[in-house]
């Protein structure tokens, strides 16, 4: 039986449907050293066969023969795993192998007699037998120093040197190690010594494999085909790639204040994408790490004065919408995690009351349209043909008024949970009221959320399928309002009431999955306007994050068998063991985390509530090895052979009356036994 790490295929998703493909990486969980063969940039990683080098931080090394470094790869002559890479290059039969430790890149080359060391934006120096590369990186308009200490397992023999590259002469087999630090060369030397001394390449590759087996082994699955197990463990591998742990043996550099600190530090998080299920998955399976991630958000707030919404290594990125750190901390609070909630709330409240809601902004004070949200309950749109006059508006991203209102209403609800836990009742009441702001946009005649201008009037000629321009950005975010109408994570029951009750909401959900394009409409025109909305099933877009929770809403509306039907189709159709096996932009673990949860059979529809909606499992058995020593198992005999409908559910010998699990029930361990069938049961 193959070990979990052996089942990971980093090439899954490396050809995209429309947008960005995944990049295969040899790395450790949350690791700082991420080794990827460098290829020409033409969009889809798997299609690029021209090799330019192998990573050494932002530097690279390339093997050659007699000074010839042009080479290509053939995927039929390689073995790419999450812990080690082996590939035979097309020209001259050179062999390249790669593995990593937390801060060190290791490459072993066979058949070469020269190496090209490339260090753009930097300088090189040979000292004490080690090559020192100091690179100046630009991140969020800040200049950051990266120190790369390179060690060969042979004497350094310099053939030639240029402004940004050295050519080295090497024996037939050579191992190159590059330790990376953002603190100093001394810190890089410490990592090199502590992480590699006394172990050769093979031993370090085996260590990396052991680490991944331990991490991926937090979930043990049985049943279904090996192909489906490969898809699952690859998704789990991607779910543990972010955030990046920039701690260097007890110290870290933070670009948020430009200083070196003691302690641990994580950053690099597309929070608009990851709050939905990646962070809840890490909280469930890796709570110790998640505690450090929560504290890192507080550190970024303390160091910069703002709670980040899309943190990058160089600082908060002006990307997407919402202030979803509120969700991150509200979810941890609801599920009993330890954290400094007082500091977190201080930063979250500042975002909610002082910062503008305009898309793709950070650090900009509230504007006139923000006051419309505060006073009237919605972020205002412009009427058709009305000129934008607010300087905070991004010329391409526009106002996204529906999406901004809905996501801020959810974040406000999350802020209310934090405020109440801290005894701030006045704040809690304010944010709970704002949490109901989604109701201001429901247009009863249209049956959809719709935009309103500042005077409260509905935007004229609004079409929930087509309006909003590129990506719907005048009113929504990367999707149309068929999708965004359902973005009420915290109150699906209230949303159903607006629609006329649960039965009416079910009918609307059914139509979402059926609604196509009637002449003169066409799918290709639609995708030209909404390139993020890939993985279409009707108007449901599996390939973009705002759709993730939607199939599970059937549970809230009294039709869980319909969730089971759709979810199995979505998993089988859109997630495969192939370079095209992810139907949208993977977004740093977000989409993969959806697949992990869904394959296990449950999903966190509303981070901030300690519950999971039950879907349909992909495997006959899945066991979660929890950090508290307990094991929670989902058994669903026949699921692996395609049975998707749950006839009955028994949790630890007691019938489960509703299609929901609590976080506590999972942490207490035990067994959820699902009786599966080929036909739906409408009794549960």
């Amino acid at each position: 039986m193959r070990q979990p790490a052996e089942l990971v295929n980093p090439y899954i998703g490396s050809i995209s449907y429309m947008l960005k493909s995944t990049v295969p990486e040899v790395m450790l969980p949350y690791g700082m050293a991420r080794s990827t063969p460098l290829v020409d940039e033409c969009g889809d990683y798997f299609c690029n066969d021209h090799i330019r080098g192998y990573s050494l931080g932002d530097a690279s090394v390339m093997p050659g023969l007699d000074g010839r470094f042009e080479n290509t790869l053939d995927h039929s002559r390689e073995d790419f795993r999450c812990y080690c890479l082996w590939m035979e290059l097309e020209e001259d039969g050179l062999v390249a192998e790669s593995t990593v430790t937390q801060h060190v890149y290791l490459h072993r080359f066979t058949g070469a007699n020269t190496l090209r060391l490339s260090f753009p934006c930097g300088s090189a120096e040979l000292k004490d037998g080690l090559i020192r590369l100091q690179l100046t990186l630009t991140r969020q308009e800040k200049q950051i120093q990266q120190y790369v200490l390179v060690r060969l397992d042979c004497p350094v023999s310099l053939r030639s040197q240029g402004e940004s590259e050295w050519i080295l002469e090497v024996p037939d087999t050579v191992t190159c190690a590059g330790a990376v630090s953002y603190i100093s060369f001394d810190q890089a030397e410490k990592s090199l010594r502590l992480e590699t001394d006394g172990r050769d390449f093979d031993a370090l590759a085996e260590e990396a494999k052991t680490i991944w087996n331990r991490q991926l082994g937090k979930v043990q699955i049985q049943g279904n085909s090996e192909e489906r197990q490969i898809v699952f463990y690859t998704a789990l591998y991607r779910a543990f790639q972010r955030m990046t742990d920039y701690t260097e043996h007890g110290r870290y550099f933070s670009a948020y204040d430009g200083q070196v600190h003691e302690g641990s530090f994580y950053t690099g998080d597309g929070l608009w994408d990851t709050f939905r299920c990646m962070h809840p998955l890490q909280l469930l399976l890796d709570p110790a790490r998640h505690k450090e991630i929560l504290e890192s958000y507080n550190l970024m707030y303390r160091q910069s004065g703002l709670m980040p919404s899309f943190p990058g290594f160089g600082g908060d990125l002006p990307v997407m919408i919402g202030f979803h750190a509120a969700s991150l901390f509200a979810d941890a609070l609801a599920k009993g995690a330890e954290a400094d909630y007082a500091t977190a709330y201080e930063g979250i409240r500042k975002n909610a009351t002082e910062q503008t809601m305009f898309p793709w902004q950070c650090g900009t004070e509230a504007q006139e349209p923000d006051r419309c949200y505060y006073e009237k309950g919605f972020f205002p749109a412009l009427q058709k043909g009305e000129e934008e006059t607010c300087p905070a508006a991004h010329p391409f991203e526009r106002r996204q008024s529906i999406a901004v209102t809905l996501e801020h209403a959810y974040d406000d609800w999350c802020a209310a949970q934090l405020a109440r836990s801290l005894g701030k009742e006045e704040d809690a009441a304010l944010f709970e009221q704002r949490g109901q702001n989604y109701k201001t946009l429901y247009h009863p005649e249209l049956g959809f959320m719709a935009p309103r201008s500042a005077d409260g009037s509905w935007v004229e000629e609004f079409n929930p399928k087509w309006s909003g321009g590129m990506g719907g950005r005048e009113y929504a975010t990367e999707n149309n309002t068929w999708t965004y109408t359902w973005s009420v994570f915290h109150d699906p029951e209230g949303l159903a009431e607006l629609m006329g009750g649960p039965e009416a909401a079910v009918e609307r959900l059914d139509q979402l999955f059926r609604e196509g394009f009637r002449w003169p409409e066409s799918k290709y025109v639609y995708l030209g306007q909404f390139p993020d909305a890939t993985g279409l099933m009707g108007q449901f877009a599996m390939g973009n994050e705002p759709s993730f929770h939607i199939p599970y809403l059937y549970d809230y509306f009294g039709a869980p068998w319909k969730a089971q039907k759709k979810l199995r189709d979505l998993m089988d159709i859109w997630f495969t063991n192939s370079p095209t096996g992810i139907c949208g932009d993977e977004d740093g673990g977000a989409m993969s985390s959806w697949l992990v949860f869904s394959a296990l059979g449950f999903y966190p529809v509303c981070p901030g509530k300690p519950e999971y909606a039950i879907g349909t499992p992909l495997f006959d058995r899945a066991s979660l090895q929890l950090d508290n020593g307990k094991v929670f198992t989902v058994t669903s005999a026949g699921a692996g052979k395609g049975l998707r409908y749950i006839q009955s559910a028994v949790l630890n010998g007691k019938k489960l009356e509703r299609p929901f699990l609590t976080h506590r029930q999972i942490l207490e361990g035990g067994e959820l036994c699902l009786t599966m069938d080929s036909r739906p049961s409408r009794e549960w």
Side-chain angles (χ1 to χ4, degrees):
M1 183 176 178
R2 297 173 71 186
Q3 297 174 321
E6 296 170 336
L7 291 168
V8 172
N9 175 10
Y11 276 131
I12 289 178
S14 57
I15 296 176
S16 72
Y17 281 74
M18 289 286 280
L19 300 176
K20 187 176 181 181
S21 67
T22 61
V23 175
E25 294 177 307
V26 175
M27 58 176 293
L28 299 184
Y30 314 97
M32 200 170 95
R34 296 164 181 246
S35 184
T36 300
L38 305 177
V39 297
D40 287 344
E41 184 59 50
C42 78
D44 291 323
Y45 187 94
F46 191 83
C47 299
N48 301 330
D49 68 346
H50 182 231
I51 290 286
R52 295 187 288 107
Y54 296 85
S55 306
L56 293 171
D58 280 59
S60 66
V61 60
M62 180 68 190
L65 195 62
D66 300 327
R68 299 191 308 273
F69 297 104
E70 288 295 314
N71 228 310
T72 56
L73 63 87
D74 178 343
H75 293 307
S76 70
R77 298 204 298 272
E78 66 177 289
D79 186 13
F80 207 136
R81 303 294 169 190
C82 56
Y83 56 89
C84 188
L85 161 69
W86 178 96
M87 59 171 53
E88 181 184 297
L89 302 184
E90 198 80 67
E91 308 298 327
D92 304 313
L94 306 183
V95 172
E97 300 168 273
S98 300
T99 192
V100 295
T101 66
Q102 184 68 16
H103 306 96
V104 182
Y105 299 77
L106 295 110
H107 307 290
R108 182 166 64 188
F109 304 114
T110 303
N113 59 18
T114 50
L115 296 181
R116 182 181 64 203
L117 193 62
S118 300
F119 40 93
C121 304
S123 60
E125 177 189 18
L126 180 61
K127 183 177 180 180
D128 300 327
L130 301 175
I131 301 171
R132 297 177 173 226
L133 308 177
Q134 184 168 347
L135 311 179
T136 301
L137 313 180
T138 301
R139 299 289 187 269
Q140 283 95 287
E141 300 181 354
K142 300 173 184 175
Q143 288 195 335
I144 297 170
Q145 299 303 304
Q146 184 184 85
Y147 305 90
V148 185
L149 197 62
V150 180
R151 181 180 68 194
L152 305 180
D153 64 349
C154 66
V156 176
S157 177
L158 186 61
R159 173 184 285 192
S160 65
Q161 61 189 93
E163 185 176 339
S164 60
E165 70 175 32
W166 283 6
I167 307 300
L168 308 173
E169 294 184 355
V170 294
D172 180 74
T173 298
V174 61
T175 298
C176 173
V180 174
S181 172
Y182 293 97
I183 298 174
S184 66
F185 284 119
D186 287 342
Q187 193 70 40
E189 188 279 331
K190 183 177 183 179
S191 293
L192 190 64
R193 173 170 45 83
L194 292 176
E195 297 175 22
T196 69
D197 277 5
R199 288 152 290 177
D200 62 11
F201 180 94
D202 292 323
L204 291 168
E206 192 62 30
E207 282 187 21
K209 181 179 180 181
T210 298
I211 291 169
W212 270 117
N213 277 326
R214 184 166 57 246
Q215 189 75 5
L216 300 175
K218 293 174 182 286
V219 183
Q220 298 288 334
I221 56 175
Q222 296 176 24
N224 214 316
S225 66
E226 184 174 271
E227 289 285 294
R228 304 306 289 158
Q229 293 181 10
I230 288 171
V231 170
F232 178 83
Y233 279 117
T234 302
L236 193 57
Y237 143 79
R238 293 198 179 280
F240 289 132
Q241 289 185 321
R242 303 294 189 274
M243 299 162 66
T244 302
D245 181 2
Y246 284 99
T247 312
E248 300 180 36
H249 300 285
R251 306 172 73 205
Y252 68 90
F253 168 79
S254 171
Y256 287 78
D257 64 358
Q259 302 296 315
V260 175
H261 301 267
E262 302 294 319
S264 61
F265 186 65
Y266 296 68
T267 191
D269 188 16
L271 189 53
W272 182 83
D273 307 284
T274 58
F275 84 86
R276 304 165 196 270
C277 52
M278 190 194 84
H279 282 292
L281 183 65
Q282 292 178 355
L283 175 58
L284 178 62
L285 296 179
D286 209 352
R289 285 272 200 175
H290 198 69
K291 182 178 179 180
E292 294 182 341
I293 285 171
L294 293 171
E295 178 56 22
S296 294
Y297 266 87
N298 281 333
L299 289 171
M300 289 183 274
Y301 165 62
R302 294 188 195 106
Q303 293 164 8
S304 70
L306 286 175
M307 180 64 75
S309 293
F310 211 93
F313 180 62
D316 196 16
L317 289 160
V319 175
M320 305 309 294
I321 63 174
F323 58 103
H324 295 310
S327 171
L328 187 66
F329 281 92
D331 196 45
L333 174 69
K335 294 170 182 174
E338 292 183 6
D340 180 357
Y341 292 106
T343 295
Y345 178 72
E346 182 181 295
I348 288 164
R349 190 185 190 285
K350 190 173 183 180
N351 282 31
T353 60
E354 299 179 21
Q355 300 298 300
T356 187
M357 300 161 65
F358 268 97
W360 289 64
Q361 288 282 354
C362 59
T364 302
E365 292 184 356
Q367 310 285 305
E368 187 63 32
D370 299 297
R371 283 183 275 279
C372 181
Y373 177 84
Y374 302 156
E375 296 168 7
K376 300 179 181 180
F378 59 88
F379 191 70
L382 300 175
Q383 287 286 352
K384 189 174 181 179
E386 184 180 355
E387 184 178 351
E388 179 63 75
T389 59
C390 188
H394 191 286
F396 178 75
E397 295 298 334
R398 316 290 287 173
R399 290 199 176 193
Q400 303 181 22
S401 55
I402 293 174
V404 166
T405 298
L406 296 176
E407 295 201 21
H408 274 262
Y410 164 66
D411 287 337
D412 284 331
W413 176 86
C414 291
Q417 314 313 304
L418 295 166
R420 179 151 288 117
S421 75
L422 295 168
K424 300 179 183 294
E425 292 300 328
E426 187 175 338
D427 278 7
L430 168 67
F431 289 125
E432 280 193 345
Q433 179 182 354
R434 286 192 190 178
Q436 296 297 300
N437 281 350
Y438 73 89
K439 295 178 180 178
T440 66
L441 292 189
Y442 188 77
H443 195 307
E445 294 178 12
L446 284 177
F448 291 92
M449 299 294 177
R452 305 178 77 163
S453 60
D455 64 6
S457 61
W458 297 107
V459 169
E460 297 177 0
E461 300 179 32
F462 173 71
N463 184 314
K465 188 184 296 183
W466 293 100
S467 289
M470 176 57 70
R473 285 176 170 84
E474 291 177 26
Y475 311 125
T477 302
E478 301 180 353
N479 296 265
N480 67 13
T481 310
W482 274 86
T483 293
Y484 253 100
T485 290
W486 304 99
S487 289
V488 185
F489 313 104
H490 57 296
D491 192 13
E493 297 87 355
L495 177 62
E497 286 183 19
L498 293 177
M499 293 180 170
E503 291 184 6
V506 167
E507 291 178 5
R508 295 298 309 284
L509 268 182
D510 289 345
Q511 189 59 31
L512 170 74
F513 287 99
R514 294 169 181 160
E515 179 72 17
F517 305 97
R518 301 176 183 90
W519 179 258
E521 298 177 349
S522 69
K523 187 175 180 179
Y524 69 85
V525 171
Y526 177 82
L527 288 173
Q529 182 179 343
F530 295 95
D532 296 86
T534 51
L536 285 176
M537 183 179 287
Q539 291 298 296
F540 174 85
M542 185 69 256
N544 202 238
E545 282 75 13
S547 293
F548 282 3
H549 70 294
I550 293 176
Y552 291 94
L553 293 178
Y554 279 118
D555 284 6
Y556 295 86
F557 303 154
W561 64 91
K562 294 196 172 191
Q564 295 155 26
K565 176 183 179 181
K566 297 301 183 187
L567 287 163
R568 184 60 185 246
D569 282 344
L570 293 167
M571 287 187 279
D572 286 346
I573 293 168
W574 295 118
F575 296 87
T576 62
N577 180 24
S578 163
T580 59
I582 299 177
C583 62
D585 190 342
E586 211 279 331
D587 285 315
M591 195 160 298
S592 290
S593 298
W594 182 93
L595 188 276
V596 171
F597 265 126
S598 295
L600 293 174
F602 53 92
Y603 183 82
V605 168
C606 180
K609 292 183 179 179
E611 70 176 13
Y612 305 85
I614 293 178
T616 185
L618 204 56
F619 303 101
D620 294 341
R621 183 181 180 89
S623 296
L624 280 59
Q625 318 295 315
L626 303 170
D627 267 23
N628 61 7
K630 303 288 183 67
V631 177
F632 181 77
T633 300
V634 179
T635 59
S636 45
K641 294 183 178 179
L643 300 183
R644 66 183 65 189
Y645 295 109
I646 299 172
Q647 299 297 305
S648 66
V650 176
L651 177 63
N652 295 330
K654 185 177 180 180
K655 184 178 179 180
L656 201 63
E657 300 294 343
R658 299 174 61 248
F660 296 94
L661 285 171
T662 68
H663 190 71
R664 175 173 291 183
Q665 285 171 332
I666 294 175
L667 293 188
E668 288 174 349
E671 182 178 34
L672 174 65
C673 184
L674 303 176
T675 301
M676 309 300 295
D677 204 337
S678 60
R679 297 186 63 81
S681 168
R682 289 170 170 78
E683 296 181 3
W684 189 33

